[in-house]
Amino acid sequence: MRQKFADYWKQASADWNYIFRNELRNIFKDQGILIFFFLVPLAYPLLYSFIYTNEVVREVPVAVVDDSRSTTSREYLRNVDATPDVRIAAHCKDMDEAKATIRRRDTYGIIHVPDDFSKRLARGEQTQVSIYTDMSGLLYYKALLVANTEASLVMNARIKTALAGNTTAEQDRVTAYPIAYESVSLYNPQDGFATFLIPAVLVLIIQQTLLLGVGIAAGTAREGNRFRELMPVDRHYTGLLRIVLGKGAAYLLVYLPISVYVLGVVPHLFRLNQIGSPGQLALFAVPYLLACIFFAMSVSLVLRHRETCIMVIVFTSLPLLFISGVSWPGAAVPDFWKAVSCLFPSTPGINGFLKINNMGGTVQDLSFEWHALWTQAVVYFFLTCWGYRHAIVASRRRYIARYRRLRARHIASAQSRTMNGTLPDEAAAAGPQ
Amino acid sequence: MKGLSAILRIARRELRRLSRNPIYLFTMVVAPLFCYYFFTSLMAEGLPAELPVGLVDNDRTTTSRSLSRNLDAFQMTDIVQTYPDVSAARKAVQRGEIYGFFYIPEGTTGKAQRQEQPTVSFYMNYSYLVAASLLYRDMRTMSELASGAATQSVLLAKGATERQAMAYLQPVVIDTHPINNPWLNYNIYLSNTIIPGLLMLFICMVTVYSIGTEVKSGSARHWLSLARGSMARALAGKLAPHTLIFTLMGAIYVCYLYSWLHFPCHCGVPVMLVVMFLGVIAAQGMGVFMYAALPSLRLGLSFASLWGVISFSICGMSYPVMAMHPTLQGVSLLFPLRHYFLLYVNSALDGYPLLNAWPYVAGLLAFALLPAVVLRRLKNALLHVPYLP
């Protein structure tokens, strides 16, 4: 009994070892897989970070229509120009001229100061400054709004203190702001675009490249196989767990260093937020990688050709980024899409990574993501096993059927041969194909 | 005449090929339709409302309570939870339960009455940039109001009218006019570029794939022989059915967005149909160029996916091109989506005539004519470069 178990174990580990090495060889032999397993994870993050590296938009050019032409209006416009967000690029005599600058794309907004601006202020009445912004990008709108709000607050405070007739500077301060306020940007001190988007893209890249690489490997295996089967006829490819775990371990081995680079080195290179502890990050990366690997293996079961997986998978990156709740607030994602998003490891992966890397959370803080990833890993593992089992059984059936057919033909031809007394013809001799 | 009949014969052959391989049905019809529905339904709300925020009220006075009630009443914010202290609220932010919180420290009301200028704070998680930016506006208005409320009550008591009080509190008011998207609708802002971008990604990939499979299945010589060796004719016949299908898909998109969902379209639907058509042929030209540049199915498809995915970032729809590195500002013009985006902004959003943005029309046409440059190289590749798995 013990001998039998030892033999079984020996055979199983030999098979596992064989499959593991074979899969690694496949990965490094295939340029298509190498592109997605190495080139994309290495180069894409750098490219993205390069695009967003300035983080914020500064000095948005705007046109100004100053109908008031007074000292106060000029003071106001100087304040606007002094903000980092906008730059006054054109002084126009009327709105039509200002509109023409927008039309030529020289400016992205108009600030209009009405002709009674200083008159009303002098009379102690409220006055309005109108801003018109080009809506081709929300950041232009934001820049214009922030700059004008800042400038108006400065001016309001000055007017208020002038009217109050205080004697000390401290009194002036209190008159301007009886209650002061401050805004604190948590986890993204410069309110930047890169800090917000790049971490999500990094996590997504791991899942998408795994899907593509594993899909190409599976498609190639089918195309290389004479009968379009996923597995070769080989005595090593018999045990189900050996196949799934052998292949999975090969992918894991490749992706461990890649994850370190993508999740650890890239944020460091581009000085993105990185306040999570490396230990927590590593702890979190394990279920994410497992979930991604088994998810990719499950998906690869239905891909029949090498190239189809590129066409099917690449476009999903965008929808996946959107339902993960980063670019579009998770609270505003409709319930249906929220449910759909739970099928993909990227959703808990992105949120979990943000919470650890950007917000310095620990694994305890993200129990939902943690459990979701482990659940996905287990579910996709069993789905992969089921799929491979199905493929093995189906392929065996086909082989047996083919063997029977050939044998029947062989017997029939042998019979006809004995009846005719002729030599076997070439086709029958070619034997089982 | 002979040329035309050859083109028609190849087009018929291509239609047969399209109908045989289900991947074409998926990438030309099913996936684009899915994307149309996905993005427009995901952002159907337009502007996110009722984003969860927290409150730390250590002051516990009627003033602080009325502050928090006011904040809750804003459209964008929804105070879901009150926390005993800042670190509890921060932990909730880390767990992702709230996007930010408003902090009123102990003694705020008392200090305000003693004229000691207390400070209230709002903390926002800018790791979720969109949500935080939206909340920032409400929180800031709220804080301004808080400051004003203290003074206003004094002024009103002194006998000032409401108008006088407001003129004292806020002499200069900013009146904002977001031109052509006054609702700040994100659906309009993003769907208008993301969906065409995805459609162009599909077009590039399908073009590369349909040429590459000829080599893979060993039928490239037959294809060329049908065109009597003319690469231009062979391409025209092959891509005409694609142009037809993709133009139809583009037309469905334009009608869905501008006629059905009533997104702003100041130039009228026909002009957008023209822009869409230009986008389709530009992407096809780009696809042919990609295959000719890297004549192997795998590399061509990788090239197409790289270009297609990068174009979303570099076209400037969310992060303006003018804020990018100067090199990238030039590079952005190599992406058809950038030209499409600028044409869309010019025509549909701002309502200027198409010719106002003629350089980008010319740009898209140039992409469409790219195959002319690489015809010889492409023919060579089709005849002599074997399929590499």
Side-chain angles (χ1 to χ4, degrees):
Chain A
M1 185 65 198
R2 183 174 294 170
Q3 183 58 35
K4 217 171 161 187
F5 181 74
D7 282 348
Y8 170 78
W9 188 247
K10 222 163 152 188
Q11 179 64 40
S13 29
D15 288 347
W16 180 88
N17 197 5
Y18 177 85
I19 294 168
F20 172 72
R21 279 157 186 249
N22 198 32
E23 197 61 29
L24 275 183
R25 205 173 305 128
N26 282 344
I27 292 171
F28 285 98
K29 225 170 46 188
D30 190 327
Q31 256 193 52
I33 302 180
L34 286 180
I35 290 181
F36 288 111
F37 272 9
F38 292 98
L39 195 64
V40 174
L42 290 182
Y44 249 52
L46 302 183
L47 198 57
Y48 268 98
S49 308
F50 184 39
I51 291 178
Y52 295 125
T53 190
N54 287 345
E55 295 266 19
V56 287
V57 48
R58 293 284 194 218
E59 304 287 339
V60 174
V62 296
V64 160
V65 180
D66 182 4
D67 281 341
S68 169
R69 290 188 196 89
S70 57
T71 340
T72 13
S73 73
R74 278 193 292 275
E75 181 199 334
Y76 175 80
L77 292 173
R78 264 202 312 281
N79 285 345
V80 172
D81 202 13
T83 60
D85 304 285
V86 305
R87 170 172 65 87
I88 293 177
H91 290 269
C92 304
K93 66 178 193 315
D94 55 20
M95 283 302 274
D96 285 334
E97 197 187 326
K99 277 185 206 159
T101 63
I102 287 201
R103 179 177 171 153
R104 287 195 303 272
R105 306 246 119 217
D106 290 338
T107 63
Y108 291 88
I110 305 169
I111 303 173
H112 179 233
V113 184
D115 55 359
D116 57 357
F117 182 76
S118 67
K119 210 179 288 174
R120 289 182 74 103
L121 285 180
R123 273 197 243 134
E125 290 173 22
Q126 209 168 26
T127 182
Q128 271 187 347
V129 172
S130 300
I131 58 176
Y132 301 84
T133 64
D134 178 84
M135 289 306 287
S136 62
L138 277 182
L139 288 184
Y140 303 132
Y141 164 79
K142 194 182 163 196
L144 227 74
L145 186 63
V146 168
N148 280 282
T149 312
E150 298 290 344
S152 76
L153 289 179
V154 170
M155 189 153 218
N156 287 350
R158 195 183 59 73
I159 294 169
K160 259 195 278 184
T161 44
L163 286 177
N166 297 321
T167 41
T168 66
E170 177 65 19
Q171 268 183 320
D172 280 350
R173 215 160 57 80
V174 177
T175 313
Y177 280 101
I179 299 178
Y181 64 85
E182 59 177 356
S183 155
V184 182
S185 301
L186 288 171
Y187 312 129
N188 183 357
Q190 62 272 54
D191 303 356
F193 217 84
T195 314
F196 136 79
L197 195 62
I198 300 285
V201 171
L202 293 179
V203 178
L204 192 61
I205 281 176
I206 291 183
Q207 178 193 296
Q208 296 300 90
T209 52
L210 258 171
L211 276 172
L212 286 162
V214 174
I216 290 184
T220 313
R222 273 186 207 278
E223 285 184 10
N225 188 299
R226 202 183 296 153
F227 302 115
R228 299 271 171 270
E229 304 288 3
L230 197 52
M231 262 92 46
V233 188
D234 189 308
R235 67 183 184 84
H236 291 293
Y237 281 81
T238 45
L240 180 65
L241 275 180
R242 290 164 224 178
I243 299 176
V244 174
L245 290 179
K247 287 187 169 200
Y251 302 136
L252 188 64
L253 184 70
V254 171
Y255 262 75
L256 282 178
I258 290 181
S259 304
V260 171
Y261 169 78
V262 171
L263 302 181
V265 178
V266 172
H268 180 74
L269 281 181
F270 285 88
R271 307 220 172 98
L272 301 176
N273 253 11
Q274 208 175 20
I275 60 173
S277 92
Q280 295 289 333
L281 210 53
L283 200 60
F284 174 76
V286 172
Y288 180 63
L289 278 181
L290 290 179
C292 283
I293 286 170
F294 292 124
F295 176 59
M297 288 175 76
S298 311
V299 171
S300 75
L301 285 165
V302 294
L303 296 170
R304 311 216 73 83
H305 297 280
R306 264 176 75 82
E307 288 82 10
T308 47
C309 82
I310 303 184
M311 313 206 16
V312 173
I313 286 160
V314 168
F315 87 96
T316 58
S317 308
L318 235 70
L320 285 179
L321 191 65
F322 270 82
I323 44 175
S324 69
V326 176
S327 6
W328 183 244
V333 173
D335 290 335
F336 172 71
W337 291 121
K338 216 176 262 177
V340 172
S341 77
C342 290
L343 294 176
F344 303 95
S346 59
T347 309
I350 288 173
N351 285 300
F353 180 67
L354 274 179
K355 284 174 188 172
I356 293 180
N357 181 63
N358 285 35
M359 310 180 200
T362 57
V363 169
Q364 285 87 352
D365 291 329
L366 32 109
S367 66
F368 173 77
E369 284 83 6
W370 175 256
H371 288 123
L373 283 176
W374 277 114
T375 314
Q376 281 174 346
V378 171
V379 169
Y380 287 123
F381 171 72
F382 281 112
L383 194 64
T384 312
C385 287
W386 177 81
Y388 269 89
R389 198 188 129 73
H390 187 77
I392 293 170
V393 171
S395 93
R396 253 186 222 157
R397 275 209 194 110
R398 275 194 292 272
Y399 277 117
I400 290 169
R402 205 173 282 132
Y403 171 73
R404 287 216 177 111
R405 225 172 23 248
L406 284 171
R407 213 173 78 136
R409 204 192 298 160
H410 193 76
I411 290 170
S413 72
Q415 277 171 351
S416 66
R417 223 183 307 137
T418 49
M419 270 157 50
N420 299 342
T422 50
L423 285 167
D425 60 308
E426 293 279 329
Q433 291 269 318
Chain B
M1 231 25 239
K2 262 184 189 166
L4 192 67
S5 74
I7 289 176
L8 280 177
R9 207 159 47 232
I10 297 172
R12 267 202 300 278
R13 171 176 174 276
E14 184 63 18
L15 279 174
R16 270 199 305 278
R17 289 177 75 97
L18 293 184
S19 63
R20 271 197 210 120
N21 190 346
I23 191 72
Y24 288 117
L25 179 69
F26 180 80
T27 43
M28 296 175 99
V29 181
V30 178
L33 286 180
F34 167 78
C35 292
Y36 300 173
Y37 178 72
F38 174 80
F39 283 102
T40 49
S41 71
L42 180 73
M43 295 183 281
E45 237 183 286
L47 189 63
E50 303 286 313
L51 294 171
V53 295
L55 175 73
V56 181
D57 180 5
N58 287 348
D59 192 36
R60 288 171 228 272
T61 59
T62 39
T63 324
S64 73
R65 274 194 292 278
S66 91
L67 260 180
S68 62
R69 265 200 307 282
N70 284 342
L71 186 60
D72 203 14
F74 278 89
Q75 191 193 350
M76 214 82 79
T77 48
D78 181 20
I79 296 183
V80 289
Q81 182 86 44
T82 313
Y83 300 92
D85 54 37
V86 170
S87 61
R90 177 182 57 82
K91 287 234 168 77
V93 171
Q94 276 177 334
R95 283 193 303 272
E97 290 163 13
I98 50 175
Y99 289 112
F101 57 91
F102 199 78
Y103 170 52
I104 308 172
E106 199 177 340
T108 302
T109 315
K111 275 188 179 170
Q113 277 164 359
R114 289 196 301 275
Q115 302 250 307
E116 284 173 10
Q117 203 188 27
T119 306
V120 297
S121 323
F122 45 95
Y123 292 75
M124 239 102 44
N125 183 359
Y126 270 91
S127 269
Y128 298 97
L129 188 73
V130 176
S133 304
L134 291 172
L135 286 176
Y136 171 81
R137 219 175 41 173
D138 280 4
M139 294 263 206
R140 176 144 193 185
T141 316
M142 193 52 237
S143 315
E144 284 291 326
L145 288 181
S147 195
T151 324
Q152 195 185 18
S153 54
V154 178
L155 286 173
L156 291 179
K158 279 184 182 164
T161 63
E162 186 96 20
R163 257 179 71 186
Q164 281 171 325
M166 280 318 286
Y168 176 76
L169 286 173
Q170 217 183 353
V172 180
V173 181
I174 304 294
D175 181 26
T176 322
H177 304 267
I179 311 170
N180 301 324
N181 186 359
W183 323 274
L184 304 183
N185 188 326
Y186 272 70
N187 206 356
I188 292 173
Y189 163 53
L190 293 174
S191 294
N192 262 313
T193 319
I194 289 184
I195 298 176
L198 283 167
L199 192 63
M200 285 164 129
L201 171 68
F202 287 125
I203 295 171
C204 277
M205 291 206 294
V206 167
T207 309
V208 170
Y209 183 77
S210 70
I211 298 174
T213 43
E214 296 276 3
V215 178
K216 185 177 179 181
S217 64
S219 55
R221 275 170 196 278
H222 176 238
W223 170 37
L224 276 175
S225 73
L226 280 179
R228 295 197 185 80
S230 151
M231 193 66 240
R233 256 181 250 158
L235 270 183
K238 187 167 193 59
L239 296 183
H242 297 206
T243 314
L244 195 72
I245 296 171
F246 279 123
T247 306
L248 195 68
M249 293 307 296
I252 292 175
Y253 156 79
V254 168
C255 294
Y256 174 59
L257 240 68
Y258 303 118
S259 302
W260 178 259
L261 295 176
H262 296 290
F263 279 22
C265 183
H266 295 283
C267 58
V269 171
V271 175
M272 274 322 279
L273 285 174
V274 172
V275 174
M276 193 71 224
F277 175 73
L278 288 174
V280 169
I281 56 174
Q284 282 189 306
M286 197 69 199
V288 174
F289 178 79
M290 282 166 176
Y291 190 81
L294 296 172
S296 105
L297 189 47
R298 128 168 65 84
L299 289 177
L301 277 178
S302 307
F303 190 9
S305 6
L306 171 94
W307 222 244
V309 174
I310 290 292
S311 47
F312 295 104
S313 307
I314 212 166
C315 76
M317 70 170 172
S318 56
Y319 185 71
V321 168
M322 62 181 229
M324 291 175 198
H325 192 274
T327 322
L328 292 176
Q329 298 188 10
V331 170
S332 75
L333 291 175
L334 300 178
F335 291 77
L337 188 61
R338 169 79 182 147
H339 298 256
Y340 176 90
F341 167 70
L342 289 169
L343 284 179
Y344 144 73
V345 169
N346 174 75
S347 309
L349 193 66
D350 290 348
Y352 300 129
L354 195 54
L355 284 181
N356 182 51
W358 68 267
Y360 307 114
V361 175
L364 286 181
L365 285 174
F367 281 114
L369 292 176
L370 264 185
V373 187
V374 292
L375 278 182
R376 185 181 289 225
R377 186 181 154 81
L378 182 63
K379 188 174 175 186
N380 230 343
L382 288 177
L383 291 178
H384 303 301
V385 179
Y387 169 75
L388 292 166

